[in-house]
């Protein structure tokens, strides 16, 4: 049976490819999908087979309500911070679920406060640290988001909320597009489901931008953010570090950075975009800012990482990399010499490869599973479904 979905997306950065991966899977199942997003995503949405409803205003609420009135979707899927879409769906009495393309971003009992980069608490002092810092973080987010959120809810005739995350927790499901094996354990609220990562590559990836060259030296892939995060200096220091090592390097700068800004040594190639999946088939190591998508792809390919966190959720992701011993974490200001030492250490440490491979097995299992569709489709739609098998580098070459 075909169903109708309205998907409300925020922004145009690294969260979009996995969210559009959800859209693509629904379209492949024969469902009608409308995506409410900015006009700049028109081509990417069209590639999924869904219909784009351009978002003209700064908020989602009124446009979501209008689209609900016009199409009466069976379910609204909203980005984690598309609060307006959630409010409109609740006011229009349409069920909504929230897409979370990364680790679970809200406070969890027994877990470290989100956004701090903390590891798991050890002992009473660590737990006290988490309670105090968690309270301060909660207060800061509430001060920033709650007044506008409650004003919007009042406009739609809804009651006030005590905390900003209460809006998210009103969802039918909170769908974490990640593997629970990577995240820290904790007592998650009801309705939270880890449904596996979406490993789809962005539609703008140029699969012909890089080809395997002759040479027996280890290949190191450098992949920082696809959006601008003042990463040019960091990319240059990584290039300088690779010049000190007997390796081959490939740096993908992303759409936001001109490759000509990086002065590459002879053993390093710099391109704007290339298929990370293809590069990882040949790579021995990934250097990254710690974006969730890059980490999932690296571990799915059984590759350890060197992480230089750049803000947003990357410090939290780095804490999990450190806890799993699947690589080394450095400050983003690390010198070329320090970066070179970390790369050399990872390449020479089998334990990092074993840890990455252990994560990789769980990530591939979760990515090819049906958990996502089970949560957003009626149960009757799941007879005789077969997930796409995602192979690791080692499986492909065996």
């Amino acid at each position: 049976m075909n169903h109708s979905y309205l998907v409300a997306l925020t922004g145009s950065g690294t969260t979009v490819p996995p969210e559009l991966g959800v859209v693509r899977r629904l379209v492949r199942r024969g469902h009608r999908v409308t995506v409410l997003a900015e006009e700049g995503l028109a081509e990417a949405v069209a590639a999924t087979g869904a219909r784009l409803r351009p978002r003209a205003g700064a908020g989602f609420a009124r446009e979501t309500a209008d689209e609900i009135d016009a199409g009466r979707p069976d379910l609204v899927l909203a980005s984690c911070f598309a609060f307006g879409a959630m409010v409109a769906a609740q006011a229009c009495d349409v069920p909504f679920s929230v897409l979370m393309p990364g680790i679970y971003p809200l406070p969890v009992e027994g877990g470290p406060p989100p956004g701090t980069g903390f590891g798991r608490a050890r002992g009473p002092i660590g737990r006290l640290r988490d309670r105090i810092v968690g309270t301060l973080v909660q207060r800061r987010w509430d001060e920033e988001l709650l007044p506008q959120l409650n004003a919007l809810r009042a406009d739609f005739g809804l009651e006030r909320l005590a905390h900003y995350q209460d809006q998210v927790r009103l969802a039918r499901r909170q769908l974490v597009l990640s593997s629970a094996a990577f995240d820290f354990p904790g007592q998650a609220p009801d309705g939270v489901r880890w449904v596996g990562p979406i490993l789809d590559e962005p539609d703008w990836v140029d699969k012909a931008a890089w080809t395997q060259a002759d040479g027996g030296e280890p290949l190191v892939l450098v992949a920082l953010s696809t959006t601008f995060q003042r990463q040019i200096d960091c990319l240059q220091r990584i290039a300088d570090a690779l010049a000190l090592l007997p390796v081959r390097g490939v740096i993908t700068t992303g759409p936001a950075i001109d490759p000509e800004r990086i002065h590459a040594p002879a053993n390093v190639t710099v391109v704007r975009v290339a298929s990370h999946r293809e590069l990882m088939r040949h790579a021995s190591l990934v250097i990254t800012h710690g974006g969730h998508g890059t980490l999932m792809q690296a571990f799915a390919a059984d590759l350890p990482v060197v992480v230089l966190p750049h803000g947003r959720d990357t410090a939290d992701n780095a804490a999990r990399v450190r806890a799993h011993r699947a690589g080394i974490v450095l400050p983003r200001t690390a010198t070329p010499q320090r970066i070179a030492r970390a790369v050399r250490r990872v390449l020479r440490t089998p334990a990092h490869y074993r840890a990455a491979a252990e994560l990789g097995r769980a990530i591939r299992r979760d990515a090819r599973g049906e958990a996502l569709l089970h949560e957003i489709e009626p149960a009757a739609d799941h007879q005789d479904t077969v997930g796409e098998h995602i192979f690791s580098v080692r499986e492909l070459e065996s």
Side-chain angles (χ1 to χ4, degrees):
M1 179 181 296
N2 293 340
H3 301 281
S4 177
Y5 296 84
L6 174 61
V7 183
L9 303 185
T10 58
S12 56
T14 55
T15 62
V16 170
E19 290 172 328
L20 289 182
V22 176
V23 171
R24 187 176 297 108
R25 283 153 177 75
L26 288 171
V27 171
R28 285 175 180 170
R29 301 277 288 180
H31 302 303
R32 301 183 304 279
V33 184
T34 296
V35 176
L36 178 61
E38 59 187 60
E39 184 69 43
L41 290 177
E43 186 175 345
V45 172
T48 68
R51 165 183 169 260
L52 175 70
R53 203 268 201 193
R55 179 168 66 94
F60 278 92
R62 183 51 54 196
E63 291 165 305
T64 300
D66 290 345
E67 192 61 38
I68 288 173
D69 289 341
R72 300 307 303 175
D74 298 299
L75 180 68
V76 172
L77 293 170
S79 292
C80 185
F81 286 97
F83 293 117
M86 301 178 210
V87 169
Q90 183 183 355
C92 295
D93 200 26
V94 173
F96 71 93
S97 291
V98 178
L99 299 176
M100 299 176 167
I103 59 174
Y104 187 65
L106 300 180
V108 170
E109 184 66 32
T116 61
F118 290 170
R120 293 193 66 193
R122 297 184 182 276
I125 294 178
R127 290 191 289 273
L128 177 63
R129 173 206 69 179
D130 284 357
R131 284 197 297 273
I132 293 173
V133 175
T135 299
L136 294 174
V137 171
Q138 170 77 63
R139 185 178 303 160
R140 179 176 64 85
W141 279 104
D142 279 344
E143 289 173 352
E144 183 174 341
L145 299 176
L146 196 58
Q148 290 182 331
L149 174 58
N150 276 331
L152 179 63
R153 289 178 60 82
D155 288 344
F156 278 81
L158 300 174
E159 70 280 2
R160 294 172 59 84
L161 299 176
H163 300 292
Y164 80 94
Q165 71 259 30
D166 293 342
Q167 180 63 66
V168 180
R169 290 173 176 165
L170 288 169
R172 177 179 175 271
R173 291 287 187 269
Q174 299 173 59
L175 302 174
V176 186
L177 304 179
S178 185
S179 175
F182 178 67
D183 218 337
F184 287 141
Q187 184 60 47
D190 292 340
V192 178
R193 300 289 188 273
W194 277 260
V195 294
I198 302 291
L199 301 179
D200 300 4
E201 295 195 291
D203 64 295
W204 41 259
V205 163
D206 182 357
K207 298 185 184 302
W210 177 87
T211 56
Q212 168 72 356
D214 294 334
E217 301 294 353
L219 179 66
V220 176
L221 168 62
V222 181
L224 302 191
S225 179
T226 57
T227 59
F228 184 73
Q229 296 187 38
R230 302 188 302 276
Q231 66 266 49
I232 295 174
D233 180 64
C234 187
L235 284 169
Q236 185 61 61
R237 281 182 280 107
I238 294 171
D240 295 341
L242 297 180
L244 304 174
L245 299 169
V247 300
R248 294 170 297 140
V250 178
I251 297 176
T252 57
T253 62
I257 303 294
D258 183 352
E260 296 296 326
R261 300 288 300 276
I262 309 302
H263 303 289
N267 63 331
V268 174
T269 301
V270 183
V271 297
R272 190 182 296 274
V273 294
S275 169
H276 287 174
R277 181 176 298 170
E278 179 63 23
L279 280 160
M280 288 177 187
R281 292 183 57 194
H282 305 280
S284 298
L285 172 69
V286 177
I287 302 176
T288 174
H289 67 306
H292 179 266
T294 302
L295 291 175
M296 291 298 101
Q297 286 185 320
F299 296 141
D302 294 341
L303 296 176
V305 294
V306 172
V307 183
L308 295 90
H310 274 53
R312 301 181 186 174
D313 63 341
T314 58
D316 290 340
N317 292 335
R320 286 151 178 80
V321 171
R322 187 186 292 112
H324 287 290
R325 304 182 189 278
I328 292 177
V329 178
L330 300 175
R332 68 177 293 174
T333 57
T335 64
Q337 292 75 20
R338 188 173 179 185
I339 296 169
R341 286 196 298 270
V343 170
R344 187 182 295 111
R345 181 179 172 188
V346 173
L347 289 173
R348 294 177 177 177
T349 306
H352 291 313
Y353 285 87
R354 289 194 294 270
E358 183 176 354
L359 280 172
R361 284 190 291 272
I363 288 166
R364 293 191 299 273
R365 178 197 65 220
D366 294 343
R368 67 175 177 252
E370 291 286 333
L372 171 66
L373 292 172
H374 273 285
E375 296 296 344
I376 57 180
E377 287 184 324
D381 289 349
H382 292 280
Q383 299 175 1
D384 301 322
T385 55
V386 179
E388 178 185 0
H389 188 86
I390 299 175
F391 294 92
S392 73
V393 174
R394 279 54 181 170
E395 289 178 296
L396 284 166
E397 295 180 349
S398 64

